[in-house]
Amino acid sequence: MKRALFALTVIVAPMAAASVAHADACDDRTRGLQQSWDHVNFEVAQTVRAAEMARLNAQADAVVAQCPNRAEPLVWSAIITASEAGLRGGLGALGLVREARTRLEQAERINPRALNGSIYVSLGSLYAQVPGAPIGFGNRRRAREYLQRGLAMAPNDIDANFFMGDLLVRERDWTGAARYLQKAIDAPARPGRAAADRGRKAEARALLARAQQQR
Protein backbone atom coordinates (compact mmCIF):
# COMPACT_ATOMS: atom_id res chain seq x y z
CA MET A 1 0.00 0.00 0.00
CA LYS A 2 2.83 2.37 0.82
CA ARG A 3 4.44 1.59 -2.51
CA ALA A 4 1.25 2.58 -4.38
CA LEU A 5 0.96 5.84 -2.45
CA PHE A 6 4.59 6.63 -3.17
CA ALA A 7 4.03 5.99 -6.87
CA LEU A 8 1.09 8.37 -6.87
CA THR A 9 3.19 11.00 -5.13
CA VAL A 10 5.88 10.72 -7.74
CA ILE A 11 3.32 11.05 -10.55
CA VAL A 12 1.52 13.98 -8.95
CA ALA A 13 4.64 15.87 -7.89
CA PRO A 14 5.40 17.39 -11.32
CA MET A 15 1.78 18.52 -11.60
CA ALA A 16 2.00 20.13 -8.16
CA ALA A 17 5.23 21.89 -9.15
CA ALA A 18 3.60 23.15 -12.32
CA SER A 19 0.66 24.39 -10.28
CA VAL A 20 2.98 26.29 -7.95
CA ALA A 21 4.81 27.78 -10.92
CA HIS A 22 1.47 28.81 -12.44
CA ALA A 23 0.40 30.37 -9.13
CA ASP A 24 3.66 32.31 -8.98
CA ALA A 25 3.13 33.56 -12.53
CA CYS A 26 -0.41 34.65 -11.66
CA ASP A 27 0.88 36.47 -8.59
CA ASP A 28 3.45 38.28 -10.73
CA ARG A 29 0.84 39.25 -13.33
CA THR A 30 -1.56 40.45 -10.64
CA ARG A 31 1.21 42.48 -9.02
CA GLY A 32 1.90 44.00 -12.43
CA LEU A 33 -1.74 45.08 -12.70
CA GLN A 34 -1.54 46.67 -9.27
CA GLN A 35 1.64 48.57 -10.08
CA SER A 36 0.26 49.74 -13.42
CA TRP A 37 -2.97 50.91 -11.81
CA ASP A 38 -1.04 52.82 -9.16
CA HIS A 39 0.88 54.60 -11.90
CA VAL A 40 -2.08 55.32 -14.19
CA ASN A 41 -4.47 56.38 -11.44
CA PHE A 42 -2.10 58.62 -9.52
CA GLU A 43 0.76 59.66 -11.83
CA VAL A 44 -0.45 59.76 -15.44
CA ALA A 45 -1.71 63.12 -16.72
CA GLN A 46 -5.49 63.54 -16.49
CA THR A 47 -5.72 64.22 -20.23
CA VAL A 48 -4.59 60.69 -21.14
CA ARG A 49 -5.63 58.78 -18.03
CA ALA A 50 -8.88 57.40 -19.45
CA ALA A 51 -7.15 55.98 -22.52
CA GLU A 52 -4.38 54.46 -20.41
CA MET A 53 -6.91 52.92 -18.02
CA ALA A 54 -8.81 51.38 -20.94
CA ARG A 55 -5.58 49.80 -22.19
CA LEU A 56 -4.85 48.50 -18.72
CA ASN A 57 -8.37 47.07 -18.55
CA ALA A 58 -7.67 44.98 -21.65
CA GLN A 59 -4.49 43.68 -19.99
CA ALA A 60 -6.49 42.82 -16.87
CA ASP A 61 -8.96 40.80 -18.95
CA ALA A 62 -6.04 38.78 -20.30
CA VAL A 63 -4.67 38.10 -16.81
CA VAL A 64 -8.09 36.94 -15.59
CA ALA A 65 -8.28 34.54 -18.57
CA GLN A 66 -4.74 33.25 -17.86
CA CYS A 67 -5.47 32.71 -14.15
CA PRO A 68 -8.88 31.02 -13.84
CA ASN A 69 -10.24 30.36 -10.38
CA ARG A 70 -7.99 32.98 -8.82
CA ALA A 71 -9.65 35.77 -6.85
CA GLU A 72 -6.80 38.28 -6.93
CA PRO A 73 -6.78 39.01 -10.69
CA LEU A 74 -10.56 39.37 -10.59
CA VAL A 75 -10.29 41.94 -7.82
CA TRP A 76 -7.76 44.02 -9.70
CA SER A 77 -9.71 43.68 -12.93
CA ALA A 78 -12.75 45.02 -11.08
CA ILE A 79 -10.79 47.93 -9.61
CA ILE A 80 -9.42 48.85 -13.03
CA THR A 81 -12.85 48.53 -14.65
CA ALA A 82 -14.44 50.73 -11.98
CA SER A 83 -11.64 53.27 -12.43
CA GLU A 84 -12.26 53.39 -16.17
CA ALA A 85 -15.95 53.94 -15.44
CA GLY A 86 -15.12 56.83 -13.13
CA LEU A 87 -12.90 58.42 -15.75
CA ARG A 88 -15.56 58.05 -18.45
CA GLY A 89 -18.41 59.29 -16.28
CA GLY A 90 -22.03 59.62 -17.32
CA LEU A 91 -24.60 56.94 -17.98
CA GLY A 92 -22.25 55.19 -20.39
CA ALA A 93 -20.13 54.10 -17.43
CA LEU A 94 -22.92 52.09 -15.77
CA GLY A 95 -22.16 48.99 -17.81
CA LEU A 96 -18.57 49.09 -16.60
CA VAL A 97 -19.49 49.44 -12.92
CA ARG A 98 -21.90 46.52 -13.21
CA GLU A 99 -19.10 44.48 -14.75
CA ALA A 100 -16.82 45.50 -11.88
CA ARG A 101 -19.42 44.40 -9.33
CA THR A 102 -19.84 41.04 -11.07
CA ARG A 103 -16.10 40.39 -10.96
CA LEU A 104 -15.90 41.27 -7.28
CA GLU A 105 -18.77 38.90 -6.55
CA GLN A 106 -16.99 36.18 -8.52
CA ALA A 107 -13.82 36.82 -6.50
CA GLU A 108 -15.81 36.61 -3.26
CA ARG A 109 -17.11 33.17 -4.21
CA ILE A 110 -13.53 31.98 -4.83
CA ASN A 111 -11.84 33.52 -1.78
CA PRO A 112 -13.65 36.15 0.30
CA ARG A 113 -10.47 37.00 2.21
CA ALA A 114 -8.38 37.67 -0.90
CA LEU A 115 -6.16 40.76 -0.71
CA ASN A 116 -7.03 41.37 2.93
CA GLY A 117 -10.59 42.62 2.56
CA SER A 118 -10.17 44.43 -0.76
CA ILE A 119 -13.24 42.70 -2.20
CA TYR A 120 -15.50 44.30 0.42
CA VAL A 121 -13.80 47.69 0.34
CA SER A 122 -14.18 47.78 -3.45
CA LEU A 123 -17.83 46.68 -3.31
CA GLY A 124 -18.48 49.28 -0.63
CA SER A 125 -16.95 52.04 -2.70
CA LEU A 126 -19.07 51.03 -5.70
CA TYR A 127 -22.33 50.97 -3.75
CA ALA A 128 -21.44 54.35 -2.24
CA GLN A 129 -20.60 56.10 -5.50
CA VAL A 130 -22.93 54.59 -8.12
CA PRO A 131 -26.34 56.30 -8.53
CA GLY A 132 -29.24 54.54 -6.85
CA ALA A 133 -32.30 52.99 -8.48
CA PRO A 134 -33.74 53.26 -11.04
CA ILE A 135 -30.55 54.41 -12.76
CA GLY A 136 -27.97 52.28 -10.97
CA PHE A 137 -27.48 49.92 -8.04
CA GLY A 138 -26.07 52.40 -5.53
CA ASN A 139 -27.15 51.84 -1.94
CA ARG A 140 -25.46 53.52 1.02
CA ARG A 141 -26.71 50.97 3.54
CA ARG A 142 -25.07 48.17 1.57
CA ALA A 143 -21.99 50.35 1.07
CA ARG A 144 -21.62 50.71 4.82
CA GLU A 145 -22.07 46.98 5.40
CA TYR A 146 -19.38 46.11 2.86
CA LEU A 147 -16.96 48.73 4.14
CA GLN A 148 -17.45 47.53 7.71
CA ARG A 149 -16.57 44.01 6.59
CA GLY A 150 -13.45 45.31 4.90
CA LEU A 151 -12.47 47.26 8.00
CA ALA A 152 -13.02 44.20 10.19
CA MET A 153 -10.40 42.38 8.11
CA ALA A 154 -7.96 45.30 7.88
CA PRO A 155 -8.78 48.03 10.41
CA ASN A 156 -5.70 50.13 9.59
CA ASP A 157 -5.92 49.81 5.81
CA ILE A 158 -5.61 53.13 4.02
CA ASP A 159 -8.27 52.39 1.39
CA ALA A 160 -10.79 50.89 3.83
CA ASN A 161 -10.56 53.98 6.04
CA PHE A 162 -10.56 56.40 3.11
CA PHE A 163 -13.70 54.96 1.53
CA MET A 164 -15.54 54.80 4.84
CA GLY A 165 -14.61 58.45 5.34
CA ASP A 166 -15.80 59.22 1.82
CA LEU A 167 -19.14 57.50 2.51
CA LEU A 168 -19.62 59.49 5.72
CA VAL A 169 -18.86 62.74 3.90
CA ARG A 170 -21.63 61.82 1.44
CA GLU A 171 -23.91 61.26 4.44
CA ARG A 172 -22.79 64.55 6.04
CA ASP A 173 -21.46 62.79 9.12
CA TRP A 174 -18.54 65.20 9.35
CA THR A 175 -17.23 63.98 12.71
CA GLY A 176 -17.27 60.32 11.72
CA ALA A 177 -15.75 61.13 8.35
CA ALA A 178 -12.90 63.05 9.96
CA ARG A 179 -12.05 60.11 12.20
CA TYR A 180 -11.72 57.65 9.33
CA LEU A 181 -9.96 60.08 7.03
CA GLN A 182 -7.37 60.83 9.70
CA LYS A 183 -6.78 57.09 10.04
CA ALA A 184 -6.23 56.91 6.28
CA ILE A 185 -3.70 59.74 6.49
CA ASP A 186 -1.92 58.01 9.38
CA ALA A 187 -1.99 54.56 7.76
CA PRO A 188 1.36 52.75 7.54
CA ALA A 189 3.23 52.76 4.24
CA ARG A 190 2.58 49.81 1.96
CA PRO A 191 5.69 48.16 0.50
CA GLY A 192 6.06 48.96 -3.20
CA ARG A 193 3.04 51.27 -3.28
CA ALA A 194 4.52 54.69 -2.64
CA ALA A 195 2.64 56.34 -5.52
CA ALA A 196 -0.72 54.96 -4.38
CA ASP A 197 -0.03 55.95 -0.77
CA ARG A 198 0.86 59.53 -1.78
CA GLY A 199 -2.18 59.86 -4.00
CA ARG A 200 -4.67 58.35 -1.57
CA LYS A 201 -3.38 60.40 1.36
CA ALA A 202 -3.66 63.57 -0.72
CA GLU A 203 -7.29 62.68 -1.44
CA ALA A 204 -7.87 61.96 2.24
CA ARG A 205 -6.39 65.33 3.27
CA ALA A 206 -8.64 67.15 0.80
CA LEU A 207 -11.76 65.36 2.10
CA LEU A 208 -10.70 65.88 5.69
CA ALA A 209 -10.34 69.64 5.10
CA ARG A 210 -13.88 69.66 3.70
CA ALA A 211 -15.23 67.72 6.69
CA GLN A 212 -13.49 70.02 9.15
CA GLN A 213 -14.94 73.11 7.46
CA GLN A 214 -18.44 71.67 7.84
CA ARG A 215 -18.14 70.63 11.50
Side-chain angles (χ1 to χ4, degrees):
M1 188 66 180
K2 286 185 178 179
R3 188 180 300 274
L5 286 172
F6 180 74
L8 281 173
T9 301
V10 171
I11 292 169
V12 172
M15 294 175 64
S19 176
V20 170
H22 180 68
D24 289 345
C26 287
D27 289 342
D28 289 343
R29 291 176 185 135
T30 303
R31 196 173 300 111
L33 293 178
Q34 171 199 288
Q35 292 169 347
S36 295
W37 181 85
D38 287 355
H39 172 63
V40 173
N41 199 60
F42 291 111
E43 296 182 320
V44 166
Q46 187 72 35
T47 53
V48 296
R49 192 173 295 164
E52 290 297 313
M53 196 67 75
R55 277 193 282 272
L56 182 57
N57 205 354
Q59 294 174 27
D61 287 343
V63 174
V64 168
Q66 292 160 359
C67 302
N69 301 317
R70 288 290 303 273
E72 296 84 358
L74 282 165
V75 174
W76 272 105
S77 173
I79 291 169
I80 292 163
T81 300
S83 298
E84 184 184 351
L87 291 166
R88 281 193 190 185
L91 295 178
L94 286 175
L96 287 172
V97 293
R98 289 192 177 97
E99 180 183 336
R101 180 181 62 171
T102 296
R103 294 213 160 181
L104 290 167
E105 291 169 345
Q106 290 172 342
E108 183 187 20
R109 288 193 291 272
I110 296 168
N111 179 10
R113 301 193 69 85
L115 298 176
N116 203 25
S118 291
I119 291 170
Y120 298 115
V121 174
S122 299
L123 281 167
S125 70
L126 283 181
Y127 276 93
Q129 297 179 67
V130 171
I135 297 172
F137 59 81
N139 183 306
R140 289 182 182 172
R141 179 187 58 79
R142 294 199 68 183
R144 183 186 292 268
E145 290 171 356
Y146 279 127
L147 290 169
Q148 287 172 337
R149 292 177 74 175
L151 282 163
M153 292 184 187
N156 297 315
D157 181 72
I158 183 172
D159 291 326
N161 282 285
F162 172 80
F163 283 112
M164 180 61 86
D166 176 73
L167 173 64
L168 295 177
V169 166
R170 294 169 189 273
E171 294 182 340
R172 299 181 179 275
D173 178 356
W174 311 115
T175 300
R179 183 172 65 253
Y180 284 103
L181 292 168
Q182 188 62 58
K183 283 194 71 174
I185 293 165
D186 295 338
R190 295 173 290 185
R193 303 203 64 191
D197 285 350
R198 282 194 304 271
R200 187 67 80 207
K201 290 189 179 191
E203 292 175 341
R205 289 187 188 98
L207 266 186
L208 178 59
R210 179 181 167 193
Q212 289 172 332
Q213 287 175 351
Q214 298 291 336
R215 288 168 69 180

